[in-house]
Amino acid sequence: MSLASLPLQTGMDAIVTGVNLVWVLTVTFLIFFMHAGFAMLEAGQVRSKNVANQLTKNLLTWSVGVIVFFLVGAAVSTIVGGLTGGGGVSITEAFMAIYAPDAASVTAWTDWLFGAVFAMTAATIVSGAVAGRAKLRAYISYTILLAAVIYPVVVGFTWAGGFLGAMGFHDFAGGMIVHGMGGLAGLTAAWIIGPRMDRFNADGSVNVIPGHSLSFAVLGTLILAFGWYGFNVGTAAAPLALNDAGEVTLGSFAYVGRVALVTTLGMAAGAIGAAAVAMQKTGKVDTLYVANGLLAGLVGITSIADAIVWPGAIVVGLLAGAQLPIVFGFIEKRLHIDDVCAVFPVHGSAGILGALMFPFFATSFWNGSASFVSLAIPQVVGVAVIALWTFGATYVVFRGIQATGELRVSAEHEREGLDTSEHGVDTYPEFGKPEPVTDGSGVPVDGTVRTDGGKDE
Amino acid sequence: MSLASLPLQTGMDAIVTGVNLVWVLTVTFLIFFMHAGFAMLEAGQVRSKNVANQLTKNLLTWSVGVIVFFLVGAAVSTIVGGLTGGGGVSITEAFMAIYAPDAASVTAWTDWLFGAVFAMTAATIVSGAVAGRAKLRAYISYTILLAAVIYPVVVGFTWAGGFLGAMGFHDFAGGMIVHGMGGLAGLTAAWIIGPRMDRFNADGSVNVIPGHSLSFAVLGTLILAFGWYGFNVGTAAAPLALNDAGEVTLGSFAYVGRVALVTTLGMAAGAIGAAAVAMQKTGKVDTLYVANGLLAGLVGITSIADAIVWPGAIVVGLLAGAQLPIVFGFIEKRLHIDDVCAVFPVHGSAGILGALMFPFFATSFWNGSASFVSLAIPQVVGVAVIALWTFGATYVVFRGIQATGELRVSAEHEREGLDTSEHGVDTYPEFGKPEPVTDGSGVPVDGTVRTDGGKDE
Amino acid sequence: MSLASLPLQTGMDAIVTGVNLVWVLTVTFLIFFMHAGFAMLEAGQVRSKNVANQLTKNLLTWSVGVIVFFLVGAAVSTIVGGLTGGGGVSITEAFMAIYAPDAASVTAWTDWLFGAVFAMTAATIVSGAVAGRAKLRAYISYTILLAAVIYPVVVGFTWAGGFLGAMGFHDFAGGMIVHGMGGLAGLTAAWIIGPRMDRFNADGSVNVIPGHSLSFAVLGTLILAFGWYGFNVGTAAAPLALNDAGEVTLGSFAYVGRVALVTTLGMAAGAIGAAAVAMQKTGKVDTLYVANGLLAGLVGITSIADAIVWPGAIVVGLLAGAQLPIVFGFIEKRLHIDDVCAVFPVHGSAGILGALMFPFFATSFWNGSASFVSLAIPQVVGVAVIALWTFGATYVVFRGIQATGELRVSAEHEREGLDTSEHGVDTYPEFGKPEPVTDGSGVPVDGTVRTDGGKDE
């Protein structure tokens, strides 16, 4: 389009569009910034020999993923939504709506970018689960498929008008669609690729491999919380709308204050819930549990932040935080899955929890005439479908890559660290990094890998 | 309230409310992000053995504090404002205005959150003063009381319509109410709890215990400056208002450019002022003084950013920065108080300075008919009342906790670090951290704790 | 001005001004936050013994620079624009427009601050090129001249209506004016001051001196990308305007979605382009190349983000990323210039590339009637003039400082690190930092300075 084709909105139309653009762009930038949060949170939780690998994966998740989501993923959402929701769908139109939107649509690409930052959040969660042993090219291959198909199908089923959306599945800002999906994908991937060496012993006991910097982990947590306000509060609809009479109205933005409040209380209660459980178990307040509990509280409230009042937000936050140490212990000690950055307890189980809480907390005011069962069924079905799809698709892709022998680095490379083998760099060339020493039984005896003295039991 | 009770503002009302909500939410998110700044600033200034403790305190200050401020603190502000300002006050109404605001009020909870991020800023300042020796439960107990009562009383006296507000005490964005209060509380707490071991010698000489990472300290400084734009410029009223004729007006937002300008010049001059004094004393430009000077400049300008023109902002910034090394040296060398993160020089004395500068810089244009004395008296009274209340309340609480023996960790725990004793973690398990070695006289002889060669004298 | 002189805009005027102020302030804060990004990016790329020096320079670049730009630089832009563009110019009026704008102008100082954060971005780029050996006072002296004259002259020639602007030179958001200028100044400065000791050997071979923390470098990269959305998208005009009929219109903000899209694709393609070239050269994906490639993609798209459609953005991003390792290798291996933080490949050559791409990508839709040549000539002339001015002015200033003997620290101070000699601090007093050991031939033999095994050839 040339400048001459500039859509010349005037009057109230222009005011509504202008104000809404200011809002959606601001919150989109905040959500983008969550990538810095994930980069720091994950980098802090890995060994110093794998930090550059984790950082590079975060940079490339965004860089590769957002282009793939533009070229393929966004249109796939529309197509899947149309195919499964009973609406008509034209593949050509779906792609052209992204590539060359109607010149009169001044919000097409800002809407796309708002969707893209959600998609990339789902994508980046996975890297934390497979840290320290996945080959870069394997991880990027999965990211491409996630951005092109796996995540877009979930959006197609739900927000884009597919069958889950049509039957009433409720997910306000992606607690299940984005975080639950990402957490489930991470858990599946971590299971298939297997644990890091020395993580579990032959007798079934567990070693703790502490991350190299709690400072970066907590910095990442607070950056994520900052961006999450964009995630949740930004989803609270456009500030202004036009009603049928052509008047400007606030629309559902009138509820934005409640969304901001319950998001705040949910994260706060999540930190407290995790701290309390950790305290009860070990007598100490584990910093990482507090940080991850805050994030779990945010995940838990995300799908229902439009449908819950504040006492419920505190309850959901406490539950989401409290389940974190318990679920993490179960995955580690019973399933022997090495979910390095606890992405399933933080994003997966907390996302599922939030989605299933909807009928409990929404009935009284969300839709007075709806029964508990009529609200609960779509939630249960939705969680099950998203979980099965995510598990199945991730399983197929990771098993496929595994069959080529390209999924996991060699034991030698894992031992020396992926920074060296995959990137040829040393993240901290000036700081001492003692290598773990094993006592011959496979159990490291130095301070960097600790045998867990039943801490979470 | 159900969806059916959605407040249906239309027309100019909706535009004003929508634009104002976009603004207040954006700046509230920025102010929230200051917690990441405080976390990094404080973590960088403590020993590596106490980093996780500092980070955990920051996470829990927000998480515990914001819930307490919601449940108790906000209403206490209203009640104290009503009781001391001569207005009528209903305790029930004060709480219900927070818990269940009128459905027609779409801004009640956004206004609450805007106030809450100010409250939590005051709360988090204290942790930097008592770093490295306060028990976690003691600190959290104080935080609960600060969020429930101590800070809300200050707001009640002033912004919420109490007697200081009624007599004309001026504090634009909380230079005294938030920062001055936080800095005074920190100084009081640091005095009561006593210095870290090895900080002062028996002969009265001083050891410097350097923080573990200037990188984190400067990162925190710049995050704080970013958030401070929300703090100061965000306070410059709502962008739009309706006048008596029902027309949209800019209101006092017309001055927002001046607020942004003087905030910018104040912080810049603060860094220069501190750098110049440090240079004059030691011949070198101490990085931490520059960073803290920038923050002191911001504190100094905060209470008067609506009432000062740019030459005054440069003067106030220079003074706020220049007083920092001097006040810090006085506290350290004369009072022998161990204010670890220099929270009193940065937040306390700079906040007091700014509040007292008001009559000097405001008379010529703020209120042409007011005399210097009529502007000065409320400022002096306000500073005195806030200082006395903050000192008194903090004194009582900390002495009370001290009496239970739960204020300070044991010498053994202090020596090994609070990360181990309070949290069971090691912030940097892979990086070497030489322990200080003392020569028997209590004076450490290794590089981590330095005897100060009269640097600040 | 007193409160009584408050400009009382009402009605549509007030709405347009209020919304535009919300936008310009939000994006200005984002651009300011880029200083945290530069601080981290540069700190991560220097040795641990020079970190505090780099951080201090960043703090003082902003603090000193923004005051100088307020007092002198902004007016110099106007004056140079008037003098070289044929417009009338009054020196007094130029200064008074900054110092005491018309009381009716509520946007004068917000517009100034928006310009100031661009100016300070240009200024701060230089410090990365001369890291590890420039004296603090020499660097600050140059910063003062850059903020007062060197950068303002470039703005005068272009955006402020000077001869380059008049002949049609196009630079949307400063890809050439801000970044190209900063990168060229950095390269010139690095050339004059000479390489760090041990960087190049007598036989012409090259040693790599790795930075101390890739974590900080990548954090800085992502903070910069976040701020860059403000930089580019924020430049996409004011959200609302009034047309001749007095109606509110969107104006060129209707294109904001395209600007956001191409900025996103440009940065993503930049990271991929750099990663691909690095992979092709060494078989590994160098983390720093990916990070700097993302930034180069942003620089490349910045000057043409209003004039390019998305396939072009991907092409320009790939080119800007791909040129990075090549140009860096040329500067290092052929010119033997020690551009520590790769500021020329990231900001300089990528900025020039973007400016020269304009006629290739803009002709088809930007201005249907303009020929390629008529669009290309102003770009070539503009790049040449800005490059010559920047090189010449920087050359004169640095040679002048060099003549006084105050440009570079002594070899002894360089070896012990500038943190000690210039600031009297140790950034990481608790972490081990092995000093490089040389084998007598000037070639360090320890791990911190590596002989480059032809990595970039």
Side-chain angles (χ1 to χ4, degrees):
Chain A
M1 51 184 163
S2 72
L3 274 180
S5 69
L6 190 71
L8 287 170
Q9 292 191 355
T10 55
M12 290 299 144
D13 278 348
I15 292 173
V16 169
T17 305
V19 171
N20 291 353
L21 281 171
V22 167
W23 176 249
V24 75
L25 286 165
T26 301
V27 299
T28 298
F29 303 161
L30 287 177
I31 303 169
F32 166 74
F33 191 46
M34 291 173 73
H35 281 275
F38 278 110
M40 292 298 105
L41 177 66
E42 296 177 6
Q45 290 184 73
V46 302
R47 294 285 310 275
S48 66
K49 65 184 180 180
N50 294 321
V51 171
N53 179 255
Q54 209 60 27
L55 297 169
T56 310
K57 282 176 178 164
N58 270 280
L59 290 170
L60 289 177
T61 299
W62 166 255
S63 300
V64 174
V66 78
I67 289 182
V68 171
F69 187 75
F70 180 77
L71 294 177
V72 182
V76 168
S77 292
T78 308
I79 294 165
V80 171
L83 286 176
T84 71
V89 60
S90 154
I91 291 177
T92 305
E93 280 175 15
F95 279 95
M96 291 311 290
I98 303 296
Y99 293 171
D102 187 327
S105 169
V106 301
T107 61
W109 280 328
T110 53
D111 289 347
W112 168 80
L113 188 57
F114 184 67
V117 290
F118 281 76
M120 293 306 101
T121 300
T124 203
I125 290 169
V126 180
S127 66
V130 297
R133 71 271 203 206
K135 277 196 184 175
L136 182 63
R137 67 180 61 196
Y139 172 75
I140 297 298
S141 301
Y142 176 75
T143 297
I144 290 170
L145 290 167
L146 184 147
V149 179
I150 304 176
Y151 173 80
V153 165
V154 176
V155 172
F157 287 168
T158 52
W159 290 334
F163 76 103
L164 290 176
M167 75 184 288
F169 176 70
H170 181 85
D171 187 344
F172 173 57
M176 184 66 208
I177 292 171
V178 176
H179 293 278
M181 183 270 168
L184 282 156
L187 183 70
T188 308
W191 171 56
I192 295 173
I193 199 170
R196 287 167 294 174
M197 58 173 56
D198 298 334
R199 182 71 168 86
F200 300 109
N201 301 318
D203 65 358
S205 62
V206 173
N207 298 311
V208 175
I209 305 178
H212 87 291
S213 171
L214 284 172
S215 304
F216 282 130
V218 172
L219 172 63
T221 300
L222 289 167
I223 292 175
L224 283 168
F226 174 50
W228 223 297
Y229 275 115
F231 210 91
N232 278 13
V233 185
T235 302
L240 300 178
L242 289 177
N243 65 14
D244 293 342
E247 297 168 315
V248 177
T249 73
L250 276 181
S252 58
F253 206 64
Y255 283 135
V256 74
R258 199 175 65 206
V259 174
L261 173 67
V262 299
T263 298
T264 300
L265 296 178
M267 80 163 109
I272 294 169
V277 172
M279 188 78 189
Q280 190 272 332
K281 282 190 168 188
T282 68
K284 297 188 177 183
V285 179
D286 185 295
T287 305
L288 206 48
Y289 278 152
V290 178
N292 277 330
L294 187 147
L295 297 176
L298 281 164
V299 171
I301 205 70
T302 292
S303 63
I304 51 177
D306 60 335
I308 198 166
V309 286
W310 66 262
I314 295 177
V315 172
V316 170
L318 286 170
L319 291 174
Q323 61 83 35
L324 171 84
I326 297 164
V327 171
F328 184 76
F330 181 80
I331 291 172
E332 181 189 46
K333 297 201 170 56
R334 297 279 168 267
L335 304 183
H336 283 188
I337 296 175
D338 185 13
D339 178 1
V340 178
C341 298
V343 308
F344 184 75
V346 171
H347 301 277
S349 49
I352 293 169
L353 173 77
L356 297 180
M357 287 293 105
F358 175 68
F360 293 93
F361 288 101
T363 44
S364 63
F365 74 98
W366 176 258
N367 191 334
S369 63
S371 69
F372 176 85
V373 171
S374 71
L375 292 173
I377 288 174
Q379 297 306 105
V380 173
V381 173
V383 167
V385 168
I386 293 171
L388 281 171
W389 162 254
T390 302
F391 170 75
T394 303
Y395 184 89
V396 169
V397 173
F398 268 81
R399 283 287 186 223
I401 299 172
Q402 197 174 42
T404 69
E406 292 293 322
L407 180 57
R408 184 162 177 150
V409 301
S410 68
E412 185 190 353
H413 284 175
E414 184 178 345
R415 193 171 298 279
E416 71 179 337
L418 278 64
D419 290 5
T420 302
S421 65
E422 297 274 71
H423 308 284
V425 301
D426 183 351
T427 305
Y428 302 111
E430 301 183 52
F431 298 155
K433 283 153 305 222
E435 287 301 305
V437 179
T438 66
D439 62 3
S441 68
V443 183
V445 296
D446 82 325
T448 60
V449 183
R450 300 193 306 263
T451 299
D452 186 335
K455 179 175 168 187
D456 291 319
E457 290 297 331
Chain B
M1 53 186 164
S2 72
L3 275 179
S5 70
L6 192 72
L8 287 170
Q9 292 192 354
T10 56
M12 290 300 146
D13 277 349
I15 292 173
V16 168
T17 304
V19 171
N20 291 355
L21 280 172
V22 168
W23 176 248
V24 75
L25 286 165
T26 301
V27 300
T28 297
F29 302 161
L30 288 177
I31 302 169
F32 166 74
F33 192 44
M34 291 173 74
H35 281 274
F38 278 109
M40 292 298 105
L41 177 65
E42 295 176 7
Q45 291 183 73
V46 303
R47 294 285 310 276
S48 67
K49 65 182 180 181
N50 294 321
V51 171
N53 179 254
Q54 210 59 28
L55 297 169
T56 310
K57 282 177 178 164
N58 270 279
L59 289 170
L60 289 178
T61 299
W62 167 256
S63 300
V64 174
V66 79
I67 289 182
V68 171
F69 186 73
F70 179 77
L71 294 178
V72 183
V76 168
S77 292
T78 307
I79 294 165
V80 171
L83 286 176
T84 71
V89 61
S90 153
I91 291 177
T92 305
E93 280 176 15
F95 279 95
M96 291 311 291
I98 304 296
Y99 294 172
D102 187 328
S105 168
V106 301
T107 61
W109 280 328
T110 54
D111 290 346
W112 169 80
L113 188 57
F114 184 68
V117 290
F118 280 76
M120 293 305 101
T121 300
T124 204
I125 290 169
V126 179
S127 66
V130 296
R133 72 270 203 206
K135 277 195 185 176
L136 182 63
R137 67 180 61 197
Y139 172 74
I140 297 298
S141 301
Y142 177 74
T143 297
I144 290 170
L145 290 167
L146 184 146
V149 179
I150 305 176
Y151 173 80
V153 164
V154 176
V155 172
F157 286 168
T158 53
W159 290 334
F163 75 103
L164 290 176
M167 75 183 287
F169 176 68
H170 180 85
D171 187 344
F172 173 57
M176 185 65 209
I177 293 170
V178 176
H179 294 278
M181 184 269 168
L184 282 156
L187 184 69
T188 307
W191 169 58
I192 295 173
I193 199 170
R196 287 167 294 175
M197 57 172 59
D198 298 334
R199 181 69 170 88
F200 301 108
N201 301 317
D203 64 357
S205 62
V206 173
N207 298 311
V208 174
I209 304 177
H212 87 290
S213 171
L214 283 171
S215 303
F216 282 130
V218 172
L219 172 62
T221 300
L222 289 167
I223 291 174
L224 283 169
F226 174 50
W228 223 296
Y229 276 115
F231 209 92
N232 278 13
V233 185
T235 302
L240 299 179
L242 289 178
N243 65 16
D244 293 341
E247 296 169 315
V248 177
T249 73
L250 276 181
S252 58
F253 205 64
Y255 282 136
V256 74
R258 199 175 67 206
V259 174
L261 173 68
V262 300
T263 298
T264 301
L265 297 178
M267 80 163 111
I272 294 169
V277 172
M279 188 79 189
Q280 191 270 332
K281 282 190 166 187
T282 68
K284 298 188 177 181
V285 178
D286 185 293
T287 304
L288 205 48
Y289 277 152
V290 177
N292 276 331
L294 187 146
L295 296 176
L298 281 164
V299 171
I301 207 70
T302 292
S303 63
I304 51 177
D306 59 335
I308 198 166
V309 287
W310 65 261
I314 295 177
V315 172
V316 170
L318 286 170
L319 291 174
Q323 61 83 34
L324 171 83
I326 297 164
V327 171
F328 184 76
F330 181 79
I331 291 171
E332 181 189 46
K333 296 200 173 55
R334 296 280 166 268
L335 304 183
H336 283 188
I337 296 176
D338 185 12
D339 178 2
V340 179
C341 298
V343 308
F344 184 76
V346 171
H347 300 277
S349 50
I352 293 170
L353 173 78
L356 297 180
M357 287 293 104
F358 175 69
F360 293 93
F361 289 101
T363 42
S364 63
F365 74 98
W366 176 258
N367 190 334
S369 64
S371 70
F372 176 85
V373 171
S374 70
L375 292 173
I377 288 174
Q379 297 306 105
V380 172
V381 173
V383 167
V385 168
I386 294 171
L388 281 172
W389 162 254
T390 303
F391 170 77
T394 304
Y395 183 90
V396 168
V397 174
F398 268 80
R399 282 288 186 223
I401 300 172
Q402 197 173 41
T404 70
E406 291 294 320
L407 180 58
R408 185 165 177 150
V409 301
S410 69
E412 186 190 352
H413 285 176
E414 184 178 346
R415 193 172 298 280
E416 71 180 337
L418 278 63
D419 291 6
T420 302
S421 65
E422 296 274 72
H423 308 285
V425 301
D426 183 350
T427 305
Y428 303 110
E430 302 184 50
F431 300 157
K433 286 153 304 226
E435 288 301 305
V437 179
T438 64
D439 63 2
S441 69
V443 182
V445 296
D446 82 325
T448 60
V449 183
R450 300 192 307 263
T451 298
D452 187 337
K455 181 176 168 187
D456 291 317
E457 289 296 328
Chain C
M1 50 186 163
S2 71
L3 275 180
S5 70
L6 191 72
L8 287 169
Q9 293 190 355
T10 55
M12 291 300 145
D13 278 348
I15 292 173
V16 168
T17 304
V19 172
N20 291 354
L21 280 171
V22 168
W23 175 249
V24 75
L25 286 166
T26 301
V27 299
T28 297
F29 302 160
L30 288 177
I31 303 170
F32 165 75
F33 192 45
M34 291 173 73
H35 281 275
F38 278 110
M40 292 297 105
L41 177 66
E42 296 177 7
Q45 291 184 73
V46 303
R47 294 285 310 276
S48 66
K49 65 184 179 179
N50 294 321
V51 170
N53 179 253
Q54 209 60 28
L55 296 169
T56 310
K57 282 176 178 164
N58 271 278
L59 290 169
L60 289 177
T61 299
W62 166 257
S63 300
V64 174
V66 79
I67 289 181
V68 171
F69 187 74
F70 179 77
L71 294 178
V72 183
V76 168
S77 292
T78 308
I79 294 164
V80 171
L83 286 176
T84 71
V89 60
S90 154
I91 291 176
T92 305
E93 282 176 15
F95 279 95
M96 291 311 290
I98 304 296
Y99 294 172
D102 186 328
S105 168
V106 301
T107 62
W109 280 329
T110 54
D111 291 346
W112 168 79
L113 188 58
F114 184 68
V117 290
F118 281 75
M120 292 307 101
T121 300
T124 203
I125 291 169
V126 179
S127 66
V130 297
R133 72 270 204 207
K135 276 195 184 176
L136 182 63
R137 65 180 63 196
Y139 171 75
I140 297 297
S141 301
Y142 176 74
T143 297
I144 290 170
L145 290 166
L146 184 146
V149 179
I150 305 176
Y151 172 81
V153 165
V154 176
V155 172
F157 287 169
T158 54
W159 290 333
F163 75 104
L164 290 176
M167 76 184 288
F169 176 70
H170 181 84
D171 187 345
F172 173 57
M176 185 65 207
I177 293 171
V178 176
H179 294 278
M181 184 270 168
L184 282 156
L187 184 69
T188 308
W191 171 57
I192 294 172
I193 200 170
R196 286 167 293 174
M197 58 173 57
D198 299 333
R199 181 70 170 87
F200 302 109
N201 301 318
D203 64 358
S205 62
V206 172
N207 298 311
V208 175
I209 304 177
H212 88 291
S213 171
L214 284 172
S215 304
F216 283 129
V218 171
L219 172 63
T221 301
L222 288 167
I223 292 175
L224 283 168
F226 174 51
W228 224 297
Y229 276 115
F231 210 91
N232 278 12
V233 184
T235 302
L240 300 178
L242 288 177
N243 66 14
D244 293 342
E247 297 168 315
V248 177
T249 74
L250 275 181
S252 58
F253 206 64
Y255 282 136
V256 74
R258 200 174 66 207
V259 174
L261 173 67
V262 300
T263 298
T264 301
L265 297 177
M267 80 163 109
I272 294 169
V277 172
M279 188 78 190
Q280 190 272 331
K281 281 190 166 186
T282 67
K284 298 188 176 182
V285 179
D286 186 294
T287 305
L288 206 47
Y289 278 152
V290 177
N292 277 331
L294 187 148
L295 296 176
L298 281 164
V299 171
I301 206 69
T302 292
S303 63
I304 52 178
D306 59 335
I308 199 166
V309 287
W310 65 262
I314 295 177
V315 172
V316 170
L318 286 171
L319 291 174
Q323 62 84 35
L324 171 84
I326 298 165
V327 170
F328 184 76
F330 181 80
I331 291 171
E332 181 189 45
K333 297 201 171 53
R334 297 279 165 270
L335 304 184
H336 283 187
I337 295 176
D338 185 13
D339 178 2
V340 178
C341 297
V343 308
F344 184 76
V346 171
H347 300 278
S349 49
I352 292 170
L353 173 77
L356 296 180
M357 287 294 104
F358 174 68
F360 292 94
F361 288 101
T363 43
S364 62
F365 75 96
W366 177 258
N367 190 335
S369 64
S371 69
F372 177 85
V373 171
S374 71
L375 292 174
I377 288 174
Q379 297 305 104
V380 173
V381 173
V383 167
V385 167
I386 293 170
L388 281 172
W389 162 254
T390 303
F391 170 77
T394 304
Y395 183 89
V396 168
V397 173
F398 267 81
R399 283 287 187 225
I401 300 172
Q402 198 172 42
T404 68
E406 292 294 322
L407 180 57
R408 186 164 177 148
V409 301
S410 70
E412 185 191 353
H413 285 176
E414 185 177 346
R415 193 172 297 279
E416 70 177 339
L418 277 64
D419 290 5
T420 303
S421 65
E422 297 273 72
H423 307 286
V425 300
D426 184 349
T427 305
Y428 303 110
E430 301 184 52
F431 299 157
K433 284 151 305 218
E435 287 302 304
V437 178
T438 65
D439 62 3
S441 69
V443 183
V445 296
D446 82 326
T448 60
V449 182
R450 300 193 306 265
T451 299
D452 185 339
K455 180 175 168 187
D456 290 318
E457 287 298 329

